[in-house]
Amino acid sequence: MAGIGVVTDSAASLPAEVAARHGIRVVPMQIIVDGEPFLEGVDITPDQVIAHLEAGRDVTTSQPSSEAFLEAIRSEAAAGARAVVVVTLSSELSGTYASAVAASTAAGLDVEVVDSRTVAMAQGLAAVAAARASAAGGTLAQVAAAARWTAERSTCLFTVETLDHLRRGGRIGPAVAAAGRVLGIRPVLAVEDGRIVPRSRARSGARARTAIAHEVGAVLASARGLGAPVGLAVLHAGAHWELDVDDSDVDLAVDGPVSAVLAAHTGPGTVAAMVAPLATLDAPPG
Protein backbone atom coordinates (compact mmCIF):
# COMPACT_ATOMS: atom_id res chain seq x y z
CA MET A 1 0.00 0.00 0.00
CA ALA A 2 1.27 3.45 -0.84
CA GLY A 3 -1.89 5.49 -0.71
CA ILE A 4 -4.32 6.65 1.94
CA GLY A 5 -5.41 4.06 4.48
CA VAL A 6 -9.09 3.83 5.41
CA VAL A 7 -10.31 2.82 8.87
CA THR A 8 -13.86 2.57 10.19
CA ASP A 9 -15.60 1.13 13.23
CA SER A 10 -17.71 -2.00 13.31
CA ALA A 11 -21.00 -0.08 13.57
CA ALA A 12 -20.55 0.37 9.80
CA SER A 13 -21.83 -3.24 9.44
CA LEU A 14 -19.35 -3.90 6.63
CA PRO A 15 -19.27 -7.58 5.70
CA ALA A 16 -15.76 -8.94 6.15
CA GLU A 17 -15.41 -9.72 2.45
CA VAL A 18 -16.41 -6.17 1.45
CA ALA A 19 -13.95 -4.64 3.93
CA ALA A 20 -11.17 -6.95 2.70
CA ARG A 21 -11.93 -6.28 -0.98
CA HIS A 22 -11.58 -2.54 -0.46
CA GLY A 23 -8.72 -2.67 2.05
CA ILE A 24 -10.76 -1.12 4.89
CA ARG A 25 -9.53 -1.78 8.41
CA VAL A 26 -12.39 -2.20 10.91
CA VAL A 27 -12.01 -1.32 14.60
CA PRO A 28 -14.37 -3.49 16.70
CA MET A 29 -16.79 -1.99 19.16
CA GLN A 30 -17.49 -3.71 22.47
CA ILE A 31 -20.58 -5.69 23.44
CA ILE A 32 -21.07 -6.22 27.18
CA VAL A 33 -23.27 -9.19 28.15
CA ASP A 34 -24.11 -9.41 31.85
CA GLY A 35 -20.95 -7.43 32.59
CA GLU A 36 -18.63 -9.51 30.38
CA PRO A 37 -17.04 -7.62 27.44
CA PHE A 38 -16.74 -9.03 23.93
CA LEU A 39 -15.23 -7.54 20.78
CA GLU A 40 -17.62 -7.38 17.86
CA GLY A 41 -16.56 -9.54 14.95
CA VAL A 42 -13.83 -11.11 17.05
CA ASP A 43 -15.59 -13.06 19.78
CA ILE A 44 -19.29 -12.27 19.37
CA THR A 45 -21.64 -12.29 16.37
CA PRO A 46 -24.94 -10.50 15.64
CA ASP A 47 -26.84 -13.79 16.00
CA GLN A 48 -25.32 -14.34 19.43
CA VAL A 49 -26.35 -10.83 20.49
CA ILE A 50 -29.91 -11.53 19.36
CA ALA A 51 -29.90 -14.80 21.33
CA HIS A 52 -28.69 -12.99 24.46
CA LEU A 53 -31.44 -10.37 24.09
CA GLU A 54 -34.11 -13.02 23.59
CA ALA A 55 -32.83 -14.82 26.70
CA GLY A 56 -33.31 -11.63 28.72
CA ARG A 57 -29.65 -10.98 29.40
CA ASP A 58 -28.34 -7.46 29.99
CA VAL A 59 -26.68 -6.36 26.76
CA THR A 60 -24.95 -3.00 26.46
CA THR A 61 -22.27 -1.55 24.19
CA SER A 62 -19.14 0.53 24.42
CA GLN A 63 -17.19 2.56 21.87
CA PRO A 64 -13.67 1.54 20.84
CA SER A 65 -10.91 3.09 22.90
CA SER A 66 -8.58 5.68 21.44
CA GLU A 67 -5.84 3.05 21.83
CA ALA A 68 -7.78 0.68 19.53
CA PHE A 69 -8.00 3.39 16.87
CA LEU A 70 -4.35 4.27 17.35
CA GLU A 71 -3.36 0.63 16.80
CA ALA A 72 -5.43 0.50 13.59
CA ILE A 73 -3.91 3.75 12.30
CA ARG A 74 -0.38 2.57 13.03
CA SER A 75 -1.14 -0.77 11.36
CA GLU A 76 -2.15 1.14 8.24
CA ALA A 77 1.11 3.10 8.40
CA ALA A 78 3.10 -0.12 8.84
CA ALA A 79 1.37 -1.47 5.71
CA GLY A 80 2.62 1.55 3.77
CA ALA A 81 -0.13 4.15 4.10
CA ARG A 82 1.23 7.70 3.99
CA ALA A 83 -1.91 9.06 5.70
CA VAL A 84 -5.21 7.69 7.05
CA VAL A 85 -8.89 8.60 6.87
CA VAL A 86 -11.06 7.32 9.72
CA VAL A 87 -14.82 7.16 9.09
CA THR A 88 -16.89 6.86 12.27
CA LEU A 89 -20.53 6.48 13.13
CA SER A 90 -22.45 9.60 14.08
CA SER A 91 -21.04 11.59 16.99
CA GLU A 92 -24.67 12.19 18.00
CA LEU A 93 -25.07 8.48 18.75
CA SER A 94 -21.70 7.51 20.23
CA GLY A 95 -18.40 8.76 21.58
CA THR A 96 -16.58 6.78 18.89
CA TYR A 97 -15.75 9.91 16.88
CA ALA A 98 -14.11 11.48 19.96
CA SER A 99 -12.02 8.33 20.49
CA ALA A 100 -10.84 8.45 16.88
CA VAL A 101 -9.96 12.15 17.12
CA ALA A 102 -7.95 11.50 20.29
CA ALA A 103 -6.06 8.73 18.49
CA SER A 104 -5.36 10.95 15.48
CA THR A 105 -3.44 13.44 17.58
CA ALA A 106 -1.00 10.77 18.74
CA ALA A 107 -0.61 8.87 15.47
CA GLY A 108 2.58 10.44 14.14
CA LEU A 109 1.20 10.80 10.60
CA ASP A 110 -1.57 12.76 8.90
CA VAL A 111 -5.01 11.51 9.92
CA GLU A 112 -8.39 12.97 9.04
CA VAL A 113 -11.38 11.79 11.04
CA VAL A 114 -14.75 11.95 9.26
CA ASP A 115 -17.91 12.01 11.35
CA SER A 116 -20.30 10.24 8.97
CA ARG A 117 -23.35 11.62 10.82
CA THR A 118 -24.99 8.27 10.09
CA VAL A 119 -24.60 4.60 10.94
CA ALA A 120 -24.65 1.01 9.62
CA MET A 121 -23.99 0.57 5.90
CA ALA A 122 -24.72 4.23 5.19
CA GLN A 123 -21.49 4.75 7.13
CA GLY A 124 -20.02 1.65 5.52
CA LEU A 125 -20.71 2.95 2.01
CA ALA A 126 -18.95 6.20 2.95
CA ALA A 127 -15.91 4.13 3.95
CA VAL A 128 -16.13 2.21 0.66
CA ALA A 129 -16.21 5.51 -1.28
CA ALA A 130 -13.12 6.64 0.61
CA ALA A 131 -11.31 3.38 -0.14
CA ARG A 132 -12.19 3.61 -3.83
CA ALA A 133 -10.91 7.18 -3.95
CA SER A 134 -7.69 6.04 -2.30
CA ALA A 135 -7.28 3.20 -4.78
CA ALA A 136 -7.72 5.72 -7.61
CA GLY A 137 -4.78 7.74 -6.28
CA GLY A 138 -6.68 10.36 -4.30
CA THR A 139 -5.00 12.68 -1.83
CA LEU A 140 -5.86 12.72 1.86
CA ALA A 141 -8.25 15.63 1.27
CA GLN A 142 -9.90 13.89 -1.70
CA VAL A 143 -10.36 10.60 0.15
CA ALA A 144 -11.91 12.36 3.16
CA ALA A 145 -14.12 14.45 0.85
CA ALA A 146 -15.35 11.27 -0.89
CA ALA A 147 -16.42 9.83 2.47
CA ARG A 148 -18.21 13.03 3.51
CA TRP A 149 -19.94 13.50 0.15
CA THR A 150 -21.25 9.94 0.19
CA ALA A 151 -22.35 10.07 3.83
CA GLU A 152 -24.14 13.39 3.37
CA ARG A 153 -26.17 11.97 0.46
CA SER A 154 -26.91 8.63 2.08
CA THR A 155 -30.31 7.39 3.21
CA CYS A 156 -30.64 5.10 6.23
CA LEU A 157 -34.10 3.65 6.94
CA PHE A 158 -35.13 0.92 9.36
CA THR A 159 -37.98 -0.50 11.35
CA VAL A 160 -37.97 -2.39 14.64
CA GLU A 161 -40.26 -4.81 16.43
CA THR A 162 -40.20 -2.65 19.56
CA LEU A 163 -38.80 0.74 20.46
CA ASP A 164 -37.81 -0.43 23.95
CA HIS A 165 -34.24 -1.35 22.99
CA LEU A 166 -33.63 2.10 21.48
CA ARG A 167 -35.16 3.70 24.57
CA ARG A 168 -32.93 1.72 26.95
CA GLY A 169 -29.88 2.77 24.96
CA GLY A 170 -30.92 6.43 25.12
CA ARG A 171 -31.32 6.71 21.34
CA ILE A 172 -34.97 7.80 21.60
CA GLY A 173 -37.03 9.32 24.42
CA PRO A 174 -39.33 7.28 26.70
CA ALA A 175 -42.44 9.14 25.51
CA VAL A 176 -41.85 8.08 21.91
CA ALA A 177 -41.27 4.47 22.94
CA ALA A 178 -44.38 4.43 25.13
CA ALA A 179 -46.55 5.86 22.36
CA GLY A 180 -45.38 3.20 19.94
CA ARG A 181 -46.06 0.43 22.47
CA VAL A 182 -49.55 1.64 23.43
CA LEU A 183 -50.69 2.37 19.87
CA GLY A 184 -49.17 -0.78 18.38
CA ILE A 185 -47.25 1.27 15.85
CA ARG A 186 -44.39 -0.11 13.79
CA PRO A 187 -42.31 2.98 13.09
CA VAL A 188 -40.20 3.67 10.05
CA LEU A 189 -37.11 5.38 11.44
CA ALA A 190 -34.37 7.30 9.67
CA VAL A 191 -30.99 8.76 10.53
CA GLU A 192 -31.03 12.48 9.77
CA ASP A 193 -28.25 14.90 10.69
CA GLY A 194 -26.72 12.24 12.88
CA ARG A 195 -29.80 11.38 14.93
CA ILE A 196 -32.52 8.74 14.82
CA VAL A 197 -35.85 10.33 13.92
CA PRO A 198 -39.30 8.94 13.05
CA ARG A 199 -39.98 9.06 9.30
CA SER A 200 -43.46 7.51 9.22
CA ARG A 201 -45.53 4.93 11.03
CA ALA A 202 -47.40 1.79 10.07
CA ARG A 203 -49.80 -0.62 11.74
CA SER A 204 -47.76 -3.72 10.98
CA GLY A 205 -44.24 -4.80 10.28
CA ALA A 206 -45.20 -5.74 6.71
CA ARG A 207 -46.55 -2.24 6.06
CA ALA A 208 -43.44 -0.65 7.56
CA ARG A 209 -41.24 -2.75 5.27
CA THR A 210 -43.40 -1.80 2.28
CA ALA A 211 -43.01 1.88 3.16
CA ILE A 212 -39.23 1.46 3.30
CA ALA A 213 -39.21 -0.36 -0.05
CA HIS A 214 -41.18 2.44 -1.71
CA GLU A 215 -38.82 5.09 -0.38
CA VAL A 216 -35.75 3.08 -1.37
CA GLY A 217 -37.03 2.94 -4.94
CA ALA A 218 -37.36 6.71 -5.07
CA VAL A 219 -33.99 7.28 -3.42
CA LEU A 220 -32.26 4.91 -5.86
CA ALA A 221 -33.62 6.88 -8.81
CA SER A 222 -32.46 10.15 -7.24
CA ALA A 223 -29.01 8.76 -6.40
CA ARG A 224 -28.55 7.42 -9.92
CA GLY A 225 -29.35 10.89 -11.24
CA LEU A 226 -26.19 12.23 -9.57
CA GLY A 227 -24.09 10.36 -12.10
CA ALA A 228 -22.13 8.37 -9.51
CA PRO A 229 -22.10 4.64 -8.76
CA VAL A 230 -24.77 3.64 -6.25
CA GLY A 231 -24.54 1.35 -3.24
CA LEU A 232 -27.47 -0.43 -1.60
CA ALA A 233 -27.48 -2.45 1.60
CA VAL A 234 -30.27 -4.51 3.14
CA LEU A 235 -29.55 -5.46 6.74
CA HIS A 236 -31.48 -7.45 9.31
CA ALA A 237 -31.29 -8.66 12.90
CA GLY A 238 -32.93 -12.05 13.38
CA ALA A 239 -35.41 -11.39 10.56
CA HIS A 240 -34.55 -11.89 6.90
CA TRP A 241 -35.99 -9.48 4.34
CA GLU A 242 -35.77 -9.55 0.56
CA LEU A 243 -35.94 -6.13 -1.06
CA ASP A 244 -36.98 -6.32 -4.71
CA VAL A 245 -35.00 -3.76 -6.71
CA ASP A 246 -33.71 -3.46 -10.26
CA ASP A 247 -30.12 -4.74 -10.12
CA SER A 248 -29.19 -2.41 -12.96
CA ASP A 249 -29.70 0.53 -10.60
CA VAL A 250 -27.08 -0.75 -8.12
CA ASP A 251 -23.29 -0.95 -8.48
CA LEU A 252 -22.59 -2.39 -5.03
CA ALA A 253 -25.19 -4.51 -3.23
CA VAL A 254 -24.90 -5.92 0.29
CA ASP A 255 -27.38 -8.23 2.02
CA GLY A 256 -26.51 -9.38 5.52
CA PRO A 257 -26.84 -8.93 9.26
CA VAL A 258 -26.78 -5.58 10.98
CA SER A 259 -23.70 -5.28 13.15
CA ALA A 260 -23.79 -6.82 16.61
CA VAL A 261 -23.52 -3.43 18.32
CA LEU A 262 -26.51 -2.10 16.40
CA ALA A 263 -28.49 -5.29 16.99
CA ALA A 264 -28.01 -4.65 20.70
CA HIS A 265 -29.69 -1.26 20.33
CA THR A 266 -32.46 -2.14 17.88
CA GLY A 267 -33.36 -5.67 18.95
CA PRO A 268 -34.63 -8.79 17.19
CA GLY A 269 -36.79 -8.27 14.13
CA THR A 270 -35.00 -5.17 12.86
CA VAL A 271 -34.79 -4.68 9.10
CA ALA A 272 -32.99 -1.79 7.43
CA ALA A 273 -32.07 -0.39 4.04
CA MET A 274 -29.31 2.06 3.16
CA VAL A 275 -28.68 3.78 -0.18
CA ALA A 276 -25.82 6.10 -1.13
CA PRO A 277 -24.15 7.42 -4.26
CA LEU A 278 -20.43 6.63 -4.14
CA ALA A 279 -18.17 9.61 -4.80
CA THR A 280 -15.40 9.00 -7.31
CA LEU A 281 -12.41 10.98 -8.48
CA ASP A 282 -13.93 10.96 -11.97
CA ALA A 283 -17.09 12.55 -10.55
CA PRO A 284 -15.58 14.58 -7.70
CA PRO A 285 -17.63 15.81 -4.77
CA GLY A 286 -19.06 19.22 -5.36
Side-chain angles (χ1 to χ4, degrees):
M1 177 193 296
I4 309 302
V6 178
V7 172
T8 192
D9 58 78
S10 60
S13 301
L14 276 171
E17 64 274 14
V18 175
R21 187 190 320 148
H22 292 91
I24 301 169
R25 194 176 298 271
V26 179
V27 177
M29 301 189 77
Q30 290 190 71
I31 314 291
I32 300 97
V33 181
D34 289 339
E36 184 178 357
F38 300 89
L39 289 178
E40 174 168 13
V42 177
D43 43 30
I44 195 166
T45 67
D47 285 345
Q48 289 171 325
V49 168
I50 293 298
H52 288 313
L53 290 170
E54 291 177 334
R57 297 189 176 92
D58 180 43
V59 181
T60 58
T61 64
S62 179
Q63 68 215 38
S65 66
S66 58
E67 289 78 11
F69 275 113
L70 184 58
E71 180 181 352
I73 292 166
R74 287 178 171 167
S75 293
E76 287 295 301
R82 64 178 185 272
V84 174
V85 169
V86 182
V87 183
T88 74
L89 83 158
S90 172
S91 61
E92 299 284 351
L93 300 175
S94 167
T96 301
Y97 172 75
S99 289
V101 170
S104 71
T105 63
L109 75 161
D110 289 336
V111 179
E112 188 152 355
V113 183
V114 175
D115 180 356
S116 73
R117 306 292 292 174
T118 188
V119 73
M121 271 298 293
Q123 170 194 346
L125 291 170
V128 167
R132 288 164 61 124
S134 175
T139 64
L140 175 61
Q142 287 173 317
V143 171
R148 289 193 181 92
W149 189 90
T150 296
E152 287 168 359
R153 289 157 180 79
S154 67
T155 296
C156 178
L157 301 168
F158 64 104
T159 187
V160 295
E161 288 290 320
T162 172
L163 291 165
D164 289 341
H165 297 287
L166 287 168
R167 176 192 58 79
R168 280 197 291 270
R171 269 61 184 183
I172 61 170
V176 174
R181 186 167 54 249
V182 171
L183 297 175
I185 290 170
R186 294 293 177 87
V188 174
L189 302 165
V191 179
E192 295 180 1
D193 194 25
R195 299 182 181 184
I196 296 171
V197 298
R199 177 64 63 88
S200 62
R201 56 189 183 182
R203 287 294 184 178
S204 70
R207 290 182 178 181
R209 290 190 289 274
T210 297
I212 291 175
H214 283 317
E215 186 162 353
V216 165
V219 170
L220 276 173
S222 176
R224 176 61 71 192
L226 293 173
V230 176
L232 168 68
V234 177
L235 305 180
H236 27 80
H240 191 66
W241 179 40
E242 299 246 348
L243 181 60
D244 186 18
V245 299
D246 185 348
D247 290 343
S248 66
D249 285 337
V250 179
D251 299 277
L252 172 64
V254 171
D255 186 328
V258 71
S259 71
V261 70
L262 299 182
H265 287 289
T266 58
T270 298
V271 295
M274 296 89 190
V275 179
L278 303 173
T280 68
L281 296 187
D282 293 333

